[in-house]
Amino acid sequence: MTDDLDDLRKALQAAPAAPDPGAKAAALARAMQAFDTNAERIKEAARQESTDQPRPMSDRPQRAGFLTGVREMLSKLTSRPLLAATASVAAICVGIVITQPGIWQRPDLADAGQKPATEEATAEQAVTNQSAAGAAETKVEPPPRDERARQGAVATSQTPTTETQPPMATPPAPVDLAADAPMADAGEATTGAAQAVGPSPLAKSTEAAPSGVTAYLEAAPAITGQVAPVGEALSDMTAPLPEPDTEAFSNDTPNPVKITAEEPVSTFSTDVDTASWSVVRSSITNGYLPPPEAVRIEEMVNYFPYSYPVPDADGAPFRTQVSLFQTPWNKDTRLLRIGLQGRLPAVEDRPALDLVFLIDTSGSMEDANKLPLLIQSFKLMLGELRPEDRVAIVTYAGSAGLVLEPTEAKDRAKIEAALGRLSAGGSTAGAEGLELAYQTAERMEGEGRVRRILLATDGDFNVGVSDPEGLEAYVAKKRESGTYLSVLGFGRGNLDDAVMQSLAQNGNGTAAYIDTLTEAQKVLVDQLTGALFPIADDVKVQIEFNPAAIAEYRLIGYETRALAREDFNNDKVDAGEIGAGLQVTALYEVTPVGSPALRSDPLRYGAAPTLSDDVAELGFLKLRYKEPGKAVSKLIEQPIPTTPGEADEDARFAAAIAGMGQLLSEPKYLGDWGWDDAITLANGAKGADPYGYRAEAVRVMRLAESLSRP
């Protein structure tokens, strides 16, 4: 091998041979002859070619097209394979026709949301609508995640295209259902998707929903078999959806005018709740007038602070103030104002507090103005507690649980950390949560301490409260043990104000509605002592009007607080509490004897009252109350003089708010008095207004006037 390599190396190194001109010419002649021969053969082949296919002008092979492939396939098929392929295609087409009723529907009909013209498609659409209606009435569990993903992929692949789209339009991307994303209820999603025309009844706007919920809602039209153009159906589903109105309010028919000679005594329980004003303000500032049943005039009037004289340190826990002045909406009647001012002890003199936060963490609380606002509100309140006060946290959703054992308020970081871990999800087991909260409060019992449960919820009690009256009886029984129950409402849409009011009244507590952090500051910081520490229980008011001075009267508001005449002296009948430093205001419109404003004709067989100048008393005022923890009430009495006076700023502003409440609910007693009059009256009675509450009321009135215009 080595010798061969050496020989090759020597040959390469040797000098090249000299070129031979004769050999070069012979080689060139042979090449030209071969070229001419091949050219003639190519021309002859072209003449004999039967196809019109042009000769390729490129060295690249020709790209096979769809028709070329089909032609080549058919050219190679014999009769038997061709017959089998034809049968298979026919079977596939029949299957598509049977399983996809939407293909019979013209795109223009689908765009308009109309029903298909054929009887088969009409019947299929009826079945789909019936199924969707059933889903709206019966809440069902969502399908497994894998099944939802499969349905979403199938639905996406079957979405038809419109005439304006290219034939090969790209279909929507498959639904991405995150494993940890909260899922909307299947019944709700499919029901909303089945509505071809009109607003969707879905409970939540998809703008606030997690991405997983939004994706599931976007796939809903295809899942339910609804035919809609690609893109159009999805844009409809992802737009904000109106929240259904499932709110329930506690109210009664407005108090009628009473004839003094027939019914001289009026009795009611005090009310220091403020929820109605906050609900009214929330509605109006969101662009719509509140329903009349949401308007409780006494709560609107009592929302605002007034400058009533404070009680004596060694006397009753509250002091009364009575005034009489001309009615703004009727010059021939008078307004009688009864004001009560509670004593406000110094912070260091108040008893220690055992507080249980009972927090609704159900799925309906996930909105920003519900659980997140609730957590912020409670954090504001923690700064007002004393170090020896104790806080426990109980939550309820699918079931109730103790989140925080009783913890002293000085360990604020621990309490805030427990609040920060809260999240919304599940249904609302309100009864179970109340039971655990009362058990926790009873374990916190201590000498001289005040126990109170603070229930924070949107009022959507949908599990465990099949018997609301039984729940109210349970709360009423528990108040005998000395544990108070107050209720804070959050959010709108499914606010069950009726249940909240009932629980607060039966629990010897108060009810407030918090829609902003500013409102939380007012309720849980500025008025914390009054909201949590009672100074008088079961406070009742009774007025006996003098028929010689007053022919007719009506109590403005307090419809849900009315008491029978005999209940006033019955200490077993529950009534409202007054917290430290809180106020109560009640307004009567009274018609003097002989006034042209009388609404009732005198009786034919009864003696008509006559006006007398020597009548000294318009009526007689009596109040009953119990000291906290006591079973026997105490009585306060005082006469009401007949001499009217000038209305001060507080009286005029209270009258303006009472007029506003009547304009929103039942204006039949106002005559021609309207929004302009209410705004002028309130604007001229704002006074010092250090917190801007009265200025805000004027702004709300102006907005309500605009919303009231036809």
Side-chain angles (χ1 to χ4, degrees):
M1 180 65 65
T2 303
D3 294 339
D4 294 338
L5 292 176
D6 292 337
D7 295 339
L8 178 62
R9 184 181 300 108
K10 292 178 181 179
L12 293 174
Q13 292 175 351
D20 186 357
K24 180 178 180 181
L28 182 59
R30 289 195 299 271
M32 292 299 297
Q33 183 179 3
F35 178 84
D36 294 339
T37 302
N38 289 334
E40 290 296 327
R41 291 176 181 176
I42 292 173
K43 292 179 181 180
E44 182 64 21
R47 286 194 298 268
Q48 296 177 358
E49 183 68 39
S50 59
T51 179
D52 294 333
Q53 180 75 13
R55 181 176 182 271
M57 299 302 293
S58 171
D59 292 338
R60 296 180 182 178
Q62 184 178 8
R63 189 185 301 267
F66 176 78
L67 295 178
T68 303
V70 171
R71 186 182 298 110
E72 182 177 354
M73 178 188 71
L74 294 177
S75 66
K76 296 181 179 180
L77 279 178
T78 61
S79 59
R80 181 171 299 177
L82 181 60
L83 182 60
T86 305
S88 300
V89 172
I92 293 174
C93 293
V94 171
I96 293 176
V97 170
I98 294 175
T99 59
Q100 298 296 322
I103 67 173
W104 295 101
Q105 189 173 2
R106 299 201 334 260
D108 56 338
L109 293 180
D111 293 345
Q114 299 175 1
K115 296 182 180 179
T118 63
E119 295 180 358
E120 293 83 352
T122 303
E124 183 70 18
Q125 185 69 23
V127 172
T128 302
N129 293 341
Q130 183 176 1
S131 301
E137 298 177 359
T138 305
K139 190 173 183 179
V140 298
E141 294 298 327
R145 191 166 62 90
D146 293 340
E147 178 66 12
R148 292 195 299 267
R150 184 192 67 78
Q151 291 176 341
V154 172
T156 302
S157 65
Q158 293 176 351
T159 305
T161 59
T162 64
E163 293 177 348
T164 59
Q165 292 176 316
M168 301 299 289
T170 303
V175 179
D176 180 17
L177 299 177
D180 296 331
M183 292 304 302
D185 185 271
E188 295 175 350
T190 54
T191 302
Q195 302 296 327
V197 179
S200 169
L202 288 171
K204 295 288 192 307
S205 169
T206 57
E207 283 189 341
S211 59
V213 176
T214 304
Y216 186 70
L217 292 177
E218 288 177 349
I223 292 175
T224 57
Q226 177 182 345
V227 178
V230 175
E232 181 177 333
L234 298 186
S235 64
D236 290 342
M237 291 304 298
T238 56
L241 299 175
E243 195 167 3
D245 185 3
T246 60
E247 297 182 333
F249 296 97
S250 175
N251 213 332
D252 206 342
T253 305
N255 290 321
V257 172
K258 302 290 185 69
I259 299 175
T260 307
E262 300 172 1
E263 194 174 348
V265 179
S266 173
T267 309
F268 64 94
S269 164
T270 58
D271 185 7
V272 294
D273 295 344
T274 60
S276 183
W277 168 260
S278 300
V279 170
V280 167
R281 179 189 60 198
S282 171
S283 299
I284 293 174
T285 55
N286 279 284
Y288 61 94
L289 296 176
E293 60 270 18
V295 179
R296 291 186 293 271
I297 297 178
E298 75 278 6
E299 294 184 16
M300 297 175 64
V301 172
N302 285 322
Y303 178 87
F304 301 92
Y306 303 101
S307 300
Y308 294 152
V310 298
D312 298 332
D314 55 353
F318 51 83
R319 181 174 177 178
T320 62
Q321 184 185 48
V322 180
S323 59
L324 184 68
F325 53 93
Q326 181 176 304
T327 305
W329 50 83
N330 191 334
K331 64 182 181 61
D332 295 317
T333 64
R334 302 289 182 266
L335 282 185
L336 174 66
R337 181 187 62 173
I338 310 295
L340 306 180
Q341 173 66 60
R343 182 189 298 120
L344 180 62
V347 174
E348 58 272 14
D349 295 335
R350 77 185 192 193
L353 175 66
D354 288 332
L355 184 62
V356 178
F357 292 167
L358 176 55
I359 300 176
D360 181 355
T361 56
S362 63
S364 63
M365 291 288 291
E366 67 181 351
D367 295 344
N369 62 346
K370 294 184 180 180
L371 184 60
L373 177 60
L374 182 157
I375 294 173
Q376 289 180 305
S377 301
F378 280 170
K379 286 182 178 180
L380 284 180
M381 184 181 66
L382 293 178
E384 301 300 309
L385 300 180
R386 294 190 302 173
E388 61 269 24
D389 295 335
R390 293 183 294 183
V391 174
I393 300 178
V394 174
T395 63
Y396 64 94
S399 60
L402 181 61
V403 173
L404 179 69
E405 291 283 352
T407 302
E408 290 187 341
K410 62 183 179 182
D411 196 353
R412 180 172 177 177
K414 182 178 180 181
I415 301 173
E416 288 188 347
L419 288 170
R421 290 192 297 268
L422 300 180
S423 61
S427 54
T428 315
E432 186 178 351
L434 275 174
E435 184 176 2
L436 180 57
Y438 275 112
Q439 293 174 359
T440 304
E442 291 168 0
R443 289 194 289 110
M444 298 170 68
E445 183 176 6
E447 183 66 27
R449 302 176 72 91
V450 173
R451 299 195 309 275
R452 186 179 292 270
I453 296 172
L454 200 56
L455 168 60
T457 177
D458 62 355
D460 185 16
F461 294 89
N462 52 30
V463 173
V465 194
S466 57
D467 181 13
E469 293 183 358
L471 182 63
E472 295 163 5
Y474 173 79
V475 171
K477 180 180 178 181
K478 285 296 184 180
R479 75 166 178 254
E480 303 299 331
S481 66
T483 300
Y484 295 87
L485 172 67
S486 293
V487 183
L488 298 177
F490 288 84
R492 297 296 300 274
N494 56 355
L495 182 69
D496 197 336
D497 170 82
V499 172
M500 292 167 50
Q501 288 288 324
S502 177
L503 292 179
Q505 292 180 20
N506 285 278
N508 262 10
T510 58
Y513 171 72
I514 295 178
D515 57 338
T516 64
L517 201 57
T518 301
E519 186 65 18
Q521 172 84 17
K522 177 180 185 293
V523 174
L524 298 177
V525 177
D526 299 341
Q527 299 177 347
L528 176 69
T529 302
L532 300 182
F533 296 93
I535 59 174
D537 290 343
D538 294 342
V539 182
K540 306 172 185 176
V541 178
Q542 187 173 81
I543 298 180
E544 179 185 353
F545 289 100
N546 183 357
I550 300 299
E552 297 172 341
Y553 68 90
R554 69 180 179 99
L555 176 60
I556 303 176
Y558 289 93
E559 285 83 4
T560 63
R561 300 284 184 157
L563 295 175
R565 179 176 176 178
E566 62 271 17
D567 290 342
F568 182 78
N569 294 322
N570 187 349
D571 285 343
K572 294 187 178 298
V573 175
D574 180 53
E577 69 163 5
I578 294 181
L582 293 188
Q583 302 168 331
V584 177
T585 300
L587 295 172
Y588 283 90
E589 183 177 7
V590 298
T591 306
V593 172
S595 170
L598 288 174
R599 293 182 176 273
S600 301
D601 294 333
L603 296 177
R604 178 180 178 87
Y605 303 106
T610 57
L611 181 62
S612 176
D613 294 334
D614 59 355
V615 176
E617 294 182 1
L618 178 148
F620 197 70
L621 171 65
K622 297 191 292 185
L623 298 101
R624 281 196 177 276
Y625 72 95
K626 297 176 185 174
E627 295 179 351
K630 303 297 184 180
V632 179
S633 65
K634 294 183 177 182
L635 178 65
I636 297 176
E637 299 176 305
Q638 75 175 69
I640 302 173
T642 57
T643 305
E646 291 294 329
D648 57 22
E649 286 181 343
D650 287 344
R652 297 199 307 274
F653 189 81
I657 297 299
M660 174 187 180
Q662 293 174 86
L663 287 170
L664 292 172
S665 56
E666 179 52 83
K668 69 178 183 179
Y669 298 112
L670 300 182
D672 296 330
W673 197 81
W675 284 109
D676 287 342
D677 303 293
I679 293 169
T680 300
L681 182 61
N683 206 31
K686 288 187 295 187
D689 195 23
Y691 299 107
Y693 299 145
R694 297 188 181 186
E696 180 188 53
V698 173
R699 292 193 294 271
V700 173
M701 285 184 183
R702 294 181 60 202
L703 185 55
E705 178 187 25
S706 298
L707 295 174
S708 300
R709 294 170 184 165

